[in-house]
Amino acid sequence: MKARLFWAILIGIAFFTTGCTKSTDLDDLIGMSKDIQELYYEERNSGEIIFDGKVWAKDNQFKYEVTVYDNNKKIDTLGLLTDNSGKRTTYRIPNPNASSAPSTGISGTFQGIREDSFLRYIDRIDLEKAEIVGAEEVEGRQSVIVKTNTANGVDPSKLWIDKKTGVPTKIEFAENEKMVTSLTYKNIKIGPGSVSDQEFAVPESAMILE
């Protein structure tokens, strides 16, 4: 009887400890990126419409460029710049394969580094639902795979999070349990010195849209 009670208590302690460790590990991983105020990264999606994106962010300065491809040819490159004063500028970089249709630029206003960069996906993880399901290297970064148990097509269903910095290296979106698209991040730079003030400028070859 005493032996059974001992093993029951031991198993209960092991279960409780494992659960707490898992939650703490995920919480710590998510918390690693909380103080980031400066970053740069590039992104590429998988899907019917392929695009490359670049993001520069430093305090209240933000710059985003996106290039859309068709059959591996650049179709259009659009940019959005927000400077320290809050002034917003949208622009278009002409290229030989650019569509002839007029572009209206990228819409939206700057909400802050976390909300406008890939950090927003970290902030949306629900610790009550999410779980660590593995690990994998993505673009040279050892990453923890987090399943969010969300499949609404809007929030990521799965994230790969860099073990050293806590930022995403890849995300997947699913709807009705089926993967819809994914984004992979590369050339990530985090922290002071990642971006120079000179990079927050409209390229000389660009056409100002707004």
Side-chain angles (χ1 to χ4, degrees), residues 64-122:
Y64 177 58
E65 286 183 2
V66 58
T67 300
V68 181
Y69 293 82
D70 183 25
N71 294 324
N72 294 318
K73 293 182 179 180
K74 290 183 179 180
I75 298 301
D76 223 351
T77 300
L78 298 172
L80 170 63
L81 172 66
T82 301
D83 64 18
N84 261 324
S85 69
K87 180 183 176 182
R88 177 181 175 277
T89 304
T90 60
Y91 58 90
R92 180 183 187 185
I93 303 175
N95 63 73
N97 300 304
S99 61
S100 57
S103 294
T104 57
I106 303 173
S107 62
T109 56
F110 181 58
Q111 302 295 317
I113 288 179
R114 298 202 67 85
E115 183 59 31
D116 285 13
S117 73
F118 59 5
L119 296 177
R120 66 183 178 276
Y121 300 121
I122 298 294

Side-chain angles (χ1 to χ4, degrees), residues 86-209:
K87 180 183 176 182
R88 177 181 175 277
T89 304
T90 60
Y91 58 90
R92 180 183 187 185
I93 303 175
N95 63 73
N97 300 304
S99 61
S100 57
S103 294
T104 57
I106 303 173
S107 62
T109 56
F110 181 58
Q111 302 295 317
I113 288 179
R114 298 202 67 85
E115 183 59 31
D116 285 13
S117 73
F118 59 5
L119 296 177
R120 66 183 178 276
Y121 300 121
I122 298 294
D123 294 340
R124 293 175 186 173
I125 295 175
D126 186 343
L127 287 172
E128 297 296 324
K129 296 181 179 179
E131 58 181 329
I132 295 174
V133 295
E136 187 177 19
E137 183 176 305
V138 180
E139 295 293 332
R141 292 175 178 264
Q142 292 296 325
S143 305
V144 174
I145 304 173
V146 177
K147 185 178 180 182
T148 64
N149 291 309
T150 300
N152 56 18
V154 177
D155 297 312
S157 57
K158 192 180 291 186
L159 298 92
W160 285 251
I161 302 176
D162 181 26
K163 290 182 178 181
K164 291 185 177 181
T165 63
V167 303
T169 55
K170 180 180 177 180
I171 58 176
E172 280 187 0
F173 297 88
E175 192 169 2
N176 298 323
E177 303 300 324
K178 182 180 180 181
M179 202 272 280
V180 177
T181 189
S182 67
L183 285 168
T184 302
Y185 303 103
K186 63 180 182 178
N187 297 326
I188 300 171
K189 299 177 183 179
I190 299 294
S194 300
V195 187
S196 68
D197 290 331
Q198 287 71 30
E199 291 177 282
F200 294 99
V202 176
E204 293 183 2
S205 61
M207 300 166 50
I208 303 297
L209 300 175

Side-chain angles (χ1 to χ4, degrees), residues 4-58:
R4 289 181 181 177
L5 181 60
F6 170 77
W7 284 111
I9 294 173
L10 188 62
I11 292 171
I13 292 174
F15 178 79
F16 178 76
T17 304
T18 302
C20 287
T21 302
K22 174 184 172 183
S23 177
T24 302
D25 287 346
L26 183 54
D27 193 29
D28 290 344
L29 185 66
I30 291 174
M32 291 174 68
S33 69
K34 292 297 183 183
D35 296 325
I36 293 176
Q37 291 296 319
E38 187 174 337
L39 57 81
Y40 169 81
Y41 63 86
E42 299 167 12
E43 62 185 7
R44 168 162 278 209
N45 79 316
S46 67
E48 294 182 4
I49 301 177
I50 302 298
F51 69 82
D52 284 332
K54 294 181 180 180
V55 172
W56 298 259
K58 182 179 181 180

